[in-house]
Amino acid sequence: MGLLDLGVISNKTGKYLRAEADHLGWTPSFGQLVGARDVADPIYLALSQNDLKPGSDVWFVGDAPIDVVCSRGAGCSTVLVGSRQPGEDGDSEPDLHVTDCAALSALVR
C-alpha cells in the first residue's frame, strides 16, 4: 500500500458492502473492502493483506464512538469525522477530529 491507499472496514455485511461499492464504482478506489461477518478481526485482515502493521501512520477514520474504541484497540491513529465533539459521553479522545468529509479531504491534502 502507498501513502494514501484506502481500505473500508464496515459494520455492513461484507457481501452488501462490496455490492454497494461495485454499484457506485468505488471498488477500484479501495485496497480492501471488509464487512461484518467477513472475519473476527477486520482491521488486522485489511492491514495484513497489504503487509502493514497497526501504528500511528495508519489512520482509522470513523464517525462514531465505537470507531475510536476499535482504533485504539488495534493500535492505530484515530480520526473522528462529524459534528459530535471529541470526548463526548466519556469515550476516548481521537487523535484528530474534523467536522465533515470536506475537512477530512483538506487534511489529507
Side-chain angles (χ1 to χ4, degrees):
M1 287 183 103
L3 180 62
L4 293 178
D5 286 333
L6 303 172
V8 173
I9 300 169
S10 176
N11 62 352
K12 186 177 288 193
T13 301
K15 72 177 187 175
Y16 297 116
L17 170 68
R18 289 182 287 279
E20 184 175 6
D22 283 343
H23 176 75
L24 295 170
W26 292 356
T27 299
S29 299
F30 298 100
Q32 299 296 321
L33 292 163
V34 182
R37 301 184 189 157
D38 285 345
V39 66
D41 292 320
I43 296 170
Y44 300 115
L45 173 67
L47 293 173
S48 69
Q49 289 184 345
N50 293 290
D51 296 323
L52 295 172
K53 296 193 182 332
S56 61
D57 58 335
V58 174
W59 287 11
F60 188 109
V61 179
D63 63 355
I66 191 64
D67 298 325
V68 175
V69 172
C70 289
S71 176
R72 289 272 183 251
C76 299
S77 292
T78 302
V79 181
L80 185 64
V81 177
S83 60
R84 192 186 145 283
Q85 291 300 308
E88 208 172 274
D89 302 326
D91 59 329
S92 299
E93 287 285 331
D95 295 303
L96 298 168
H97 175 245
V98 294
T99 56
D100 53 35
C101 290
L104 176 63
S105 179
L107 179 65
V108 169
R109 288 190 188 122

